[in-house]
């Protein structure tokens, strides 16, 4: 069994024929954040990623290129290694299923199952999909197409070896029911349970005849066959613990703490891999977490559409840390998400440049100007101290639950609170009053303290920028920095000389054709307007927003009916991470209103029930995702919803707001 002080995190091993895209980057960045976080918590971490290099598609691609399969794999492997380096991925090992060490472990496990009579040979006829490298039953195939990839299938009849997977069905169901965190998120857990409790689990074909496929790991008990690519690939999670250079011990790290996978390969991990481990008398991983897919501007990614997001281009254009931040901030982990350049630029400009970058710049400028660039001493405490401690606690709670977006949301509360603290205390005014020197020192010290906290707690998400923040306040990053203690220890700050650098996140100007220019000016562009909270949508202007909004008359304003409304029910709109469907009351004797509001990333539905909110009551009804919305919820925010407009006192629903 793994030791309490260890943490083992894996990504899937990616198919060597693939071109690295946003999906590969998403999974690997998420795994990297967890690995870095647990290292900060003092755990002995082993982070594994790598490549799946066997199978029929590899053999066919190599033949087409006129080279042997191993040469083909060797030529493709660097594209993944190079991308992980550019994305600042801190993996401890990179496994390739063509490694001799991996092959020997796979063969040992195959022999063990065969000796225990858990593998048998039988005739099989079925519909075979070359692309997915799997057989389908007659009932699964429609119009001669694979139910997964929609490519043509062919009927094959052959002798094959089968693993007795079906006999572990009841045991697997029991394990899932007794371990709520085994499959996450809960919706995926329910999918697997629904499948296992309504359908009979058959046995799994785990071989392919060499006459059809020679590029694979040879069965140790029959030289005429190679093993099925999934049996080969899944074993990587344990084979790596036996032979890779850093020599992690199996007993120290197995079972894995987290297998991160895309939702398309959940069944192979939750069912195939779990039953294989049961047959081998090995413990099952603690958690298999299946995240969602990315679309691009509302469309499915595909080479034919030419809309596949290239992570290398994103790094070239926006930088590694901004790209990492966006992927984990934009969509709740586990849900499907939509990628758009507009949304990415909006978050960079409003959150990274205006919020975080501006906080660092203005804080260091004031320390430089009012304290000769040396962080002053302060013996007093402030609400920011407790706010930092509360944020750190929430951030690591969310990280341990794989709620990356919520962790970043908590951290941004500290960023925004500190910017408000600057505005409220106005150090530039204190600097003009010699008798306020002690209070000025207190303010400057607390700004440096918050920056240290932010540098450390942002490090797992944005390692380079986290280190840069610490460097600019005169601290050197050390692998021995532990979280959360170090993030809340500010004793080493007084007397440090700051090293103010360039802008942390230069703003990006939106251009009509999508061109990019970079500027250090915090006022050079405006964040992209957000889609309103409910009721309608607005097309943003092609160029930067005007500095002064268009003025309206009082008569024009009076046409808008703002009223209070009480939320009676709230639920998520299917297939949308942003939209919530609300039923609201505008008072006794009036009909209930249905409003669709784009506040789902900020609020859970149950948290809204009973709240008194403000709505535009005379807005023309509109349909969002096919659901009629009879009004608009008022909310504050720029590129995202920051908070609802609510009423503090007890006010009857339907009261006019003016």
């Amino acid at each position: 069994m793994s030791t309490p002080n260890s943490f083992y995190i894996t990504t899937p091993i990616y198919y060597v024929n693939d071109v690295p895209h946003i999906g590969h980057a998403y999974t690997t960045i998420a795994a990297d954040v967890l690995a870095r976080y647990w290292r900060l918590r003092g755990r002995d971490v082993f982070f594994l990623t790598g490549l799946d290099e066997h199978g029929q598609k590899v053999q066919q691609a190599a033949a087409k290129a006129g080279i042997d399969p191993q040469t083909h794999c060797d030529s493709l492997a660097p594209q993944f290694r190079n991308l992980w380096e550019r994305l600042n991925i801190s993996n401890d090992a990179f496994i390739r299923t063509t490694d001799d060490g991996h092959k020997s472990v796979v063969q040992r496990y195959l022999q063990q199952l065969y000796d225990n009579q858990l593998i048998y040979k039988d005739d099989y006829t079925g519909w075979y999909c070359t692309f997915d490298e799997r057989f389908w039953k007659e009932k699964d195939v429609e119009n001669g197409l694979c139910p997964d990839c929609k490519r043509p299938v062919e009927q094959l009849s052959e002798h094959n070896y089968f693993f007795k997977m079906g006999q572990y069905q009841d045991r697997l169901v029991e394990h899932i029911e007794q371990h709520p965190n085994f499959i996450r998120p809960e919706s995926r857990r329910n999918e697997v349970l629904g499948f296992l409790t309504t359908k009979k689990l058959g046995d799994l074909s785990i071989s392919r005849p060499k006459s059809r496929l020679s590029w694979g790991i040879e069965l140790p008990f029959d030289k005429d066959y190679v093993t099925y690519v999934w049996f080969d690939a899944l074993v990587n999670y344990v084979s790596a613990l036996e032979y890779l250079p850093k020599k992690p011990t199996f007993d120290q790290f197995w079972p894995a703490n987290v297998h991160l996978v895309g939702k398309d390969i959940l069944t192979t991990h939750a069912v195939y891999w779990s039953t294989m481990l049961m047959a081998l008398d090995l413990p099952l991983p603690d958690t298999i977490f299946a995240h969602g897919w990315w679309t691009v501007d509302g469309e499915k990614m595909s080479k034919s559409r030419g809309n596949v997001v290239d992570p290398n281009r994103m790094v070239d254009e926006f930088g590694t840390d901004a790209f990492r931040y966006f992927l984990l901030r934009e969509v709740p982990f586990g849900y499907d998400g939509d990628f758009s350049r507009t949304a990415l630029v909006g978050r960079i400009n409003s959150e990274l440049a205006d919020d975080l970058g501006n906080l660092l710049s203005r804080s260091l400028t004031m320390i430089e100007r009012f304290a000769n660039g040396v962080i002053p001493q302060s013996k007093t405490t402030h609400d920011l101290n407790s706010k930092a401690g509360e944020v750190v606690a929430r951030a690591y709670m969310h990280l341990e639950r794989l709620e990356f977006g919520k962790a970043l949301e908590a951290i941004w509360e500290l960023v925004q609170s500190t910017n408000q603290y600057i505005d409220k205390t106005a150090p530039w005014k204190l600097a003009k009053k010699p008798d306020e020197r002690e209070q000025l020192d207190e303010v400057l010290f607390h700004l440096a303290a918050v920056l240290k906290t932010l540098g450390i707690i942002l490090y797992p998400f944005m390692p380079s920028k986290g280190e840069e923040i610490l460097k600019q306040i005169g601290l050197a990053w050390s692998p021995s920095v532990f979280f959360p203690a170090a993030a809340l220890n500010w004793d080493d700050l007084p007397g440090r000389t700051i090293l103010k650098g360039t802008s942390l996140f230069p703003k990006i100007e939106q251009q009509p054709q999508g061109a990019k220019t970079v500027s250090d000016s915090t006022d050079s562009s405006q964040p992209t307007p957000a889609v309103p909270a409910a009721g309608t949508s607005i097309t943003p202007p092609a160029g930067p927003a005007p500095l002064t909004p268009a003025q309206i008359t009082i008569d024009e304003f009076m046409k808008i009916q703002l009223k209070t409304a009480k939320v009676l029910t709230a639920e998520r709109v299917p297939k949308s991470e942003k939209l919530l469907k609300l039923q609201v009351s505008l008072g006794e004797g009036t009909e209930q209103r249905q409003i669709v509001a784009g506040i789902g990333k900020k609020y859970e539905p149950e948290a809204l029930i009973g709240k008194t909110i403000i709505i535009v009551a005379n807005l023309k009804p509109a349909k969002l995702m096919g659901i009629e919305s009879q009004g608009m919820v008022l909310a504050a925010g720029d590129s995202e919803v920051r908070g609802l407009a609510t009423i503090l006192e007890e006010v009857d629903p339907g009261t006019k707001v003016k």
Side-chain angles (χ1 to χ4, degrees):
M1 296 292 288
S2 59
T3 60
N5 196 45
S6 66
F7 185 80
Y8 182 22
I9 174 78
T10 73
T11 72
I13 50 173
Y14 304 114
Y15 196 56
V16 72
N17 271 11
D18 284 344
V19 175
H21 55 66
I22 188 174
H24 301 115
Y26 187 47
T27 315
T28 313
I29 290 169
D32 184 66
V33 171
L34 290 174
R36 289 178 183 274
Y37 166 74
W38 282 110
R39 291 189 191 108
L40 288 180
R41 295 300 305 274
R43 293 279 190 96
D44 189 0
V45 172
F46 189 64
F47 170 18
L48 177 69
T49 187
L51 295 177
D52 174 9
E53 300 189 358
H54 287 127
Q56 195 162 352
K57 285 181 289 184
V58 174
Q59 180 174 291
Q60 291 175 344
K64 186 177 181 180
I67 56 177
D68 65 272
Q70 187 64 62
T71 301
H72 174 71
C73 293
D74 291 344
S75 68
L76 294 177
Q79 65 183 341
F80 285 91
R81 286 186 181 272
N82 295 340
L83 177 59
W84 299 160
E85 185 173 341
R86 298 199 71 198
L87 290 175
N88 212 345
I89 303 301
S90 63
N91 55 296
D92 296 286
F94 187 92
I95 191 170
R96 298 177 60 183
T97 55
T98 51
D99 293 345
D100 289 338
H102 171 73
K103 293 178 186 177
S104 66
V105 175
V106 171
Q107 290 181 322
R108 190 176 79 240
Y109 283 152
L110 284 166
Q111 190 65 55
Q112 179 181 331
L113 294 177
Y114 185 75
D115 292 344
N116 291 336
Q117 298 183 341
L118 292 170
I119 291 177
Y120 64 93
K121 191 174 185 181
D122 201 359
D123 295 329
Y124 187 79
T125 299
W127 293 100
Y128 187 73
C129 173
T130 301
F131 183 83
D132 289 329
E133 301 192 32
R134 65 174 293 182
F135 281 100
W136 294 97
K137 294 182 179 178
E138 184 77 37
K139 63 181 179 63
D140 298 320
V141 175
E142 290 188 20
N143 301 319
L145 300 178
C146 169
D148 265 5
C149 68
K150 307 304 179 185
R151 291 173 171 81
V153 293
E154 59 178 322
Q155 192 170 58
L156 295 177
S157 296
E158 59 190 24
H159 296 292
N160 266 319
Y161 285 91
F162 290 82
F163 162 55
K164 294 182 179 180
M165 183 170 67
Q167 72 181 50
Y168 296 96
Q169 183 166 4
D170 293 342
R171 183 175 162 186
L172 180 55
V173 169
E174 182 181 3
H175 183 86
I176 296 172
E177 290 177 340
Q178 292 181 356
H179 298 82
N181 288 326
F182 175 57
I183 300 173
R184 293 182 58 203
E186 187 176 2
S187 59
R188 307 294 177 213
R189 176 178 180 268
N190 293 338
E191 286 176 13
V192 175
L193 268 179
F195 166 76
L196 289 171
T197 53
T198 58
K199 296 182 180 180
K200 181 176 175 57
L201 188 62
D203 292 341
L204 179 67
S205 172
I206 54 95
S207 72
R208 299 291 182 262
K210 280 187 178 178
S211 57
R212 181 161 63 85
L213 171 64
S214 60
W215 184 239
I217 298 176
E218 189 177 86
L219 296 186
F221 45 81
D222 193 329
K223 307 300 182 183
D224 293 329
Y225 290 84
V226 296
T227 190
Y228 174 43
V229 69
W230 270 111
F231 191 100
D232 163 12
L234 290 165
V235 172
N236 95 90
Y237 300 128
V238 291
S239 69
L241 300 177
E242 295 195 26
Y243 80 93
L244 284 175
K246 290 195 176 182
K247 298 188 183 301
T249 63
F250 186 92
D251 291 340
Q252 181 185 7
F253 287 103
W254 191 260
N257 296 84
V258 180
H259 285 328
L260 282 186
V261 300
K263 65 180 184 179
D264 54 324
I265 54 174
L266 174 59
T267 299
T268 53
H269 284 77
V271 179
Y272 294 8
W273 181 225
S274 297
T275 54
M276 286 163 58
L277 289 168
M278 288 176 175
L280 292 165
D281 291 325
L282 294 175
L284 272 59
D286 294 343
T287 296
I288 300 171
F289 196 106
H291 64 72
W293 290 341
W294 284 89
T295 55
V296 179
D297 293 323
E299 293 188 343
K300 184 178 179 181
M301 277 195 302
S302 73
K303 293 179 182 178
S304 60
R305 286 191 177 98
N307 66 348
V308 176
V309 178
D310 178 2
N312 284 291
R313 291 186 63 184
M314 293 298 102
V315 171
D316 290 339
E317 188 171 1
F318 302 108
T320 296
D321 282 7
F323 182 55
R324 287 171 62 113
Y325 174 84
F326 175 79
L327 291 183
L328 296 179
R329 184 70 178 89
E330 180 71 2
V331 180
F333 199 63
Y335 291 85
D336 291 343
D338 186 60
F339 179 90
S340 78
R341 187 184 185 281
T342 299
L344 173 55
V345 171
R347 286 202 183 272
I348 291 174
N349 285 347
S350 65
E351 295 167 17
L352 297 181
D354 287 345
D355 291 346
L356 179 61
N358 194 36
L359 173 61
L360 177 66
S361 177
R362 68 199 301 211
S363 298
L364 296 186
T365 297
M366 289 186 290
I367 293 173
E368 187 176 61
R369 184 177 303 169
F370 305 140
N372 296 318
V374 178
I375 299 172
Q377 177 76 50
S378 175
K379 297 179 180 179
T380 60
T381 59
H382 186 271
D383 290 345
L384 277 179
N385 297 75
S386 57
K387 180 67 176 178
E390 184 261 335
V391 162
V392 167
R394 273 198 292 142
Y396 76 67
M397 175 191 73
H398 288 308
L399 271 169
E400 291 174 17
R401 295 177 179 175
L402 279 70
E403 296 169 342
F404 302 107
K406 289 183 178 180
L408 287 167
E409 184 178 323
I411 294 168
W412 243 250
E413 289 181 20
L414 180 59
V415 174
Q416 292 160 350
S417 295
T418 309
N419 276 318
Q420 292 165 7
Y421 172 69
I422 294 174
D423 296 337
K424 183 177 180 180
T425 58
W428 50 91
K429 293 182 180 179
L430 296 175
K432 296 177 181 179
K433 303 174 182 178
D435 59 338
E436 300 283 8
R437 183 72 229 183
E438 187 173 332
Q439 186 178 353
L440 175 61
D441 286 347
E442 175 193 332
V443 172
L444 299 180
F445 169 80
H446 287 302
L447 294 181
V450 168
L451 290 173
K452 178 182 178 181
T453 299
L454 290 171
I456 293 175
I457 62 177
L458 284 172
Y459 171 80
F461 296 95
M462 299 185 286
S464 294
K465 298 301 184 182
E467 290 185 20
E468 178 64 21
I469 291 171
L470 295 177
K471 178 182 177 182
Q472 291 200 30
I473 60 172
L475 294 173
W477 179 261
S478 168
S480 62
V481 172
F482 290 134
F483 181 56
L488 301 173
N489 176 13
W490 304 312
D491 293 341
D492 57 351
L493 289 175
R496 295 270 180 185
T497 300
I498 65 168
L499 300 168
K500 186 180 178 184
T502 58
S503 176
L504 196 66
F505 288 100
K507 294 191 74 169
I508 299 168
E509 296 180 7
Q510 287 277 22
Q511 299 293 331
Q513 289 78 29
K516 177 182 95 68
T517 59
V518 176
S519 169
D520 285 337
S521 170
T522 57
D523 295 322
S524 62
S525 66
Q526 298 293 325
T528 303
V531 175
T536 187
S537 62
I538 296 175
T539 302
L547 295 178
T548 303
Q551 295 181 336
I552 63 173
T553 67
I554 187 65
D555 291 336
E556 289 174 310
F557 176 75
M558 293 302 292
K559 293 178 182 179
I560 303 171
Q561 291 184 14
L562 301 179
K563 291 187 177 182
T564 60
K566 188 171 185 177
V567 180
L568 303 176
T569 66
E571 60 183 279
R572 292 196 176 276
V573 173
K575 298 182 180 179
S576 174
E577 290 79 32
K578 294 183 180 180
L579 298 182
L580 298 182
K581 183 172 71 174
L582 311 178
Q583 297 293 334
V584 303
S585 169
L586 283 95
E588 294 184 9
T590 62
E591 293 184 3
Q592 295 180 16
R593 291 276 191 98
Q594 175 174 284
I595 297 179
V596 180
I599 56 178
K601 287 188 177 181
K602 176 68 176 176
Y603 296 99
E604 293 296 331
E606 56 270 17
L608 298 173
I609 297 173
K611 282 188 177 294
T612 299
I613 61 176
I614 300 173
I615 69 167
V616 180
N618 64 334
L619 189 69
K620 184 179 179 180
K623 285 192 175 183
L624 286 80
M625 300 281 289
I627 302 173
E628 185 174 272
S629 182
Q630 302 159 338
M632 178 188 288
V633 171
L634 296 192
D638 202 351
S639 62
E640 63 173 9
V641 172
R642 299 286 179 84
L644 280 178
T646 57
I647 302 295
L648 293 177
E649 285 76 18
E650 288 293 330
V651 176
D652 292 334
T655 301
K656 185 177 180 180
V657 177
K658 59 182 181 179

